[in-house]
Amino acid sequence: MLINKAWSYTAIPFLWRNPFGIISNGDFSKAPKIVQTYILCLSENDKLHLIYEGFNISKTESAFFDYPSYIREINCNLVNKSISTWFKKTYFEHKSINEEKENLFVGKIYDMFFSRCNRLFSFEIGLRKYGSFNYPNFSSFLRLRQAITDLQHLGIYFHPLDNEKINEQINEHISKFFIKLLTFRCHNIHFIDYKSCANKDILVYHDENNIAYFKISELIKLQHGLRLFRYLGEISILNFEESSSIFDALKTQINSLTHLELRGIGFNGKIIQCLKLFKNLRFLIIINCYQDKLLSEDLFPEPEQLSITKFVFLSNRNMSDNLQVAFLKLPNYNLKSLTTDFIDNPKIINSLNYQFPNIIYLSTRIERNGFVHMNWISNLTKLSHLVLDVSFNVLGYLTYSHIYHFGLLLPLSLKVLHIDNEHFSPHILGNLLKACVEKKISLEILGLHFDYRSRINELYLHTILEYISRFPGDDLIGLKELRIGVGLNKESLEDIFPDKILKIVKENVPVFTNKNEYGYWYWNWIRDDCNKFGQDSLIDV
């Protein structure tokens, strides 16, 4: 950007395509500067209006570039948080700036974005609010059609209904924006991220003949090539009508749909029959879903229906065991990545022995005596990544001989082992690593995650050192990286372990990090794929 004028004019549009993206990791220290830059881009009339309302901004100072014209991605959560951070820094003790004036300022910023940007590629609205201000009425912006006609990524998150009046206003504004999407017939969206709402009036619209339609279903039908659909429902609200409507609409996207994430959705016979039609599906997530009580067993999917490569199946306790087993039988031999907390159920052990020979990544939660029933893992001859979340219930059943036997079952192909829970004691870990050595499994990455710092002690590091030094100079022990994470904390390892033992470990392991922050056992893998989707081609395992 600093080389010359030509390079500067080429680089600036890329840097300001998604300016709030740099603070998506939770660090909002740069947010006030970004907001201040956009203030300089406001029109003279808008500046005068804000000055009249008591804002201390310059009337004459302006930006060197027309930054709003470059914006292509707007995440309202990040924009609102950035504005809230700017308010706190600029008007911390300024009592004249009230909620009404805050809303006025937010409206000016968004109006500038929509009136001056050429085309938006990504737009996300809702999910959570920052500060006391509301979203503006986007549907009133004059150049809204031009801004969203070529939208490719849409995130619509309705707020849960409660006694807060602001939530009702937010949902109303989001609903009006939804109607505009349908009115303008936006048909190039590849990725829809949708959070449902308890208020049926918000979800449904009526045409000129007063016929009711689910807004999300009509939007899905408009698309020419929808590739990813994510649904976030509220498990406390059984809405089979909306679920059926969504799947009826998704049938129009059978040829293009490759990623499907369903959370809190109700399955009935009609939906299950429809799900079997998605032959091009590659990534399927089913979390916290439920079923119709009237669902008969003859409607369960037959085994090996879908050629998906990644499958996440978690927390579906409101489904019968039969239906859960049926879903786990849904993928065929192409499956390469499986994340589930239902894998130690005896009903599915036989199918696992032959159904998933090509699995590379397995992440699972071990309950009770689950280690005893995992003999089938020895058949996964291509498995390279194994993530284990060990339940507290395991403690009463797990013995040193059980974990040692389990270690001997692990395939020789295993390279990455991650254990996500402090219930795995240093002695149990030692027996597992001992079995890996005797089986001649060459681990390259070992990860440990603890919920609480109080559960960590240096015995874990001594156990790992013993594993590394068991056969000095042998290429078998090729540990390249040790990862240790603690809850939500981002403490340095020097604050957790004594210097002496840290020094010894670092001398023996090339990389020693606290990379695993939290939720590793399934969330990081879901998040990485879905966040990158839409920017690149499909993410490989």
Side-chain angles (χ1 to χ4, degrees):
M1 188 180 71
L2 300 177
I3 292 175
N4 56 41
K5 192 173 182 179
W7 279 57
S8 180
Y9 275 94
T10 302
I12 284 292
F14 287 98
L15 290 173
W16 287 83
R17 172 191 178 91
N18 181 24
F20 299 99
I22 65 171
I23 54 180
S24 58
N25 62 355
D27 179 12
F28 287 88
S29 59
K30 297 182 175 66
K33 291 185 178 180
I34 297 175
V35 175
Q36 188 62 41
T37 301
Y38 277 123
I39 290 174
L40 299 179
C41 299
L42 289 168
S43 68
E44 185 176 345
N45 287 338
D46 285 340
K47 288 180 181 178
L48 289 174
H49 189 183
L50 292 175
I51 291 172
Y52 176 78
E53 293 293 341
F55 287 86
N56 184 21
I57 61 176
S58 172
K59 180 177 66 173
T60 57
E61 190 178 0
S62 59
F64 189 74
F65 293 93
D66 185 15
Y67 296 107
S69 66
Y70 305 135
I71 198 164
R72 296 292 179 272
E73 300 180 42
I74 295 178
N75 182 324
C76 292
N77 294 332
L78 299 180
V79 174
N80 284 13
K81 178 61 177 177
S82 299
I83 294 175
S84 179
T85 306
W86 177 81
F87 268 113
K88 289 178 181 178
K89 180 178 180 180
T90 310
Y91 295 102
F92 183 75
E93 296 179 350
H94 202 295
K95 297 181 181 180
S96 65
I97 305 300
N98 54 31
E99 180 179 330
E100 183 180 350
K101 292 181 180 179
E102 288 178 348
N103 288 328
L104 170 67
F105 181 84
V106 172
K108 295 290 187 186
I109 295 295
Y110 277 112
D111 192 15
M112 176 178 62
F113 288 157
F114 279 89
S115 63
R116 287 159 65 178
C117 74
N118 293 321
R119 288 284 190 274
L120 278 181
F121 161 78
S122 174
F123 182 69
E124 297 180 72
I125 179 175
L127 196 58
R128 63 174 67 92
K129 63 178 183 292
Y130 292 105
S132 58
F133 43 79
N134 190 3
Y135 290 111
N137 184 4
F138 294 98
S139 61
S140 65
F141 295 159
L142 296 178
R143 298 184 75 247
L144 181 66
R145 180 192 289 269
Q146 180 177 338
I148 67 174
T149 297
D150 293 328
L151 203 62
Q152 296 181 40
H153 172 200
L154 173 66
I156 293 282
Y157 314 97
F158 287 107
H159 284 247
L161 287 181
D162 51 29
N163 294 324
E164 293 187 35
K165 186 177 179 180
I166 189 171
N167 275 11
E168 297 178 9
Q169 295 173 339
I170 288 174
N171 284 343
E172 182 182 351
H173 287 170
I174 296 175
S175 180
K176 289 180 179 178
F177 177 75
F178 221 141
I179 295 294
K180 288 293 184 181
L181 289 170
L182 298 174
T183 304
F184 297 156
R185 304 192 65 80
C186 299
H187 56 256
N188 293 317
I189 303 176
H190 300 315
F191 177 1
I192 295 180
D193 197 343
Y194 172 75
K195 183 180 184 299
S196 188
C197 175
N199 187 349
K200 190 173 181 180
D201 293 335
I202 292 293
L203 303 176
V204 176
Y205 83 99
H206 299 267
D207 64 10
E208 60 275 5
N209 298 320
N210 203 31
I211 299 176
Y213 296 95
F214 278 93
K215 297 173 187 174
I216 183 61
S217 302
E218 294 306 302
L219 185 65
I220 291 171
K221 292 176 183 177
L222 282 176
Q223 306 317 311
H224 289 170
L226 184 66
R227 297 169 62 195
L228 188 152
F229 180 74
R230 178 187 289 153
Y231 175 92
L232 307 174
E234 296 185 31
I235 189 64
S236 59
I237 303 166
L238 304 182
N239 194 345
F240 290 104
E241 186 180 359
E242 183 186 39
S243 303
S244 298
S245 173
I246 286 173
F247 268 87
D248 273 342
L250 287 175
K251 283 194 293 187
T252 65
Q253 308 294 326
I254 284 177
N255 293 327
S256 61
L257 196 68
T258 57
H259 284 52
L260 182 61
E261 178 176 349
L262 306 172
R263 295 173 182 253
I265 200 170
F267 283 96
N268 55 26
K270 184 178 180 181
I271 294 175
I272 291 175
Q273 293 289 355
C274 181
L275 185 61
K276 294 188 290 185
L277 301 175
F278 296 101
K279 300 299 183 182
N280 292 325
L281 207 59
R282 294 294 174 264
F283 190 8
L284 176 61
I285 298 177
I286 300 176
I287 297 178
N288 205 22
C289 294
Y290 53 93
Q291 71 177 78
D292 190 341
K293 292 181 180 179
L294 301 178
L295 196 62
S296 59
E297 291 193 15
D298 59 343
L299 291 174
F300 293 164
E302 296 84 2
E304 304 181 18
Q305 287 288 311
L306 299 180
S307 183
I308 58 178
T309 56
K310 292 189 177 186
F311 187 29
V312 178
F313 189 80
L314 292 169
S315 303
N316 296 298
R317 306 298 183 189
N318 293 307
M319 289 184 185
S320 67
D321 282 359
N322 287 335
L323 184 57
Q324 292 193 64
V325 169
F327 271 117
L328 276 178
K329 289 182 177 180
L330 203 58
N332 61 22
Y333 58 87
N334 287 324
L335 189 70
K336 294 183 179 180
S337 174
L338 175 63
T339 298
T340 183
D341 55 357
F342 193 67
I343 206 165
D344 57 351
N345 189 293
K347 294 182 179 180
I348 66 168
I349 291 175
N350 292 332
S351 64
L352 289 172
N353 282 330
Y354 67 87
Q355 192 174 347
F356 304 138
N358 295 312
I359 283 187
I360 296 173
Y361 171 81
L362 173 64
S363 178
T364 185
R365 180 173 177 83
I366 306 297
E367 297 277 1
R368 293 186 177 273
N369 56 353
F371 280 108
V372 179
H373 298 300
M374 291 186 69
N375 293 342
W376 51 269
I377 202 169
S378 61
N379 296 323
L380 304 182
T381 56
K382 297 181 180 180
L383 185 69
S384 61
H385 289 64
L386 177 61
V387 181
L388 299 174
D389 178 61
V390 184
S391 167
F392 177 79
N393 296 326
V394 169
L395 291 181
Y397 298 86
L398 186 60
T399 65
Y400 293 161
S401 61
H402 285 158
I403 197 64
Y404 178 75
H405 176 68
F406 172 75
L408 293 178
L409 294 172
L410 295 176
L412 294 173
S413 56
L414 192 65
K415 298 298 180 184
V416 180
L417 175 62
H418 183 93
I419 300 161
D420 193 9
N421 215 299
E422 64 272 4
H423 304 310
F424 225 72
S425 71
H427 298 295
I428 294 176
L429 176 64
N431 273 266
L432 179 58
L433 294 178
K434 178 182 176 182
C436 289
V437 171
E438 296 192 17
K439 184 74 179 288
K440 298 188 181 302
I441 296 173
S442 181
L443 292 178
E444 296 181 0
I445 298 176
L446 177 63
L448 301 174
H449 178 259
F450 301 86
D451 290 342
Y452 304 99
R453 179 177 173 178
S454 59
R455 304 289 177 87
I456 302 179
N457 60 65
E458 57 184 277
L459 284 177
Y460 286 98
L461 296 187
H462 285 293
T463 300
I464 293 166
L465 282 174
E466 183 181 355
Y467 162 68
I468 295 172
S469 59
R470 190 175 292 273
F471 296 102
D474 195 329
D475 291 338
L476 173 65
I477 312 298
L479 197 64
K480 298 177 181 179
E481 185 173 349
L482 174 61
R483 303 173 178 175
I484 294 182
V486 188
L488 297 174
N489 296 321
K490 297 183 179 180
E491 297 177 271
S492 66
L493 297 170
E494 287 75 15
D495 294 333
I496 299 175
F497 297 106
D499 293 339
K500 184 177 180 180
I501 186 70
L502 271 181
K503 182 178 179 181
I504 297 174
V505 173
K506 290 180 178 179
E507 288 174 352
N508 288 272
V509 184
V511 181
F512 185 24
T513 69
N514 59 345
K515 185 174 182 179
N516 301 321
E517 293 173 6
Y518 68 97
Y520 185 94
W521 89 275
Y522 74 90
W523 177 242
N524 279 355
W525 291 83
I526 300 173
R527 179 185 60 198
D528 287 347
D529 275 350
C530 289
N531 285 356
K532 291 175 183 175
F533 183 86
Q535 302 173 14
D536 306 304
S537 58
L538 294 181
I539 307 300
D540 294 326
V541 177

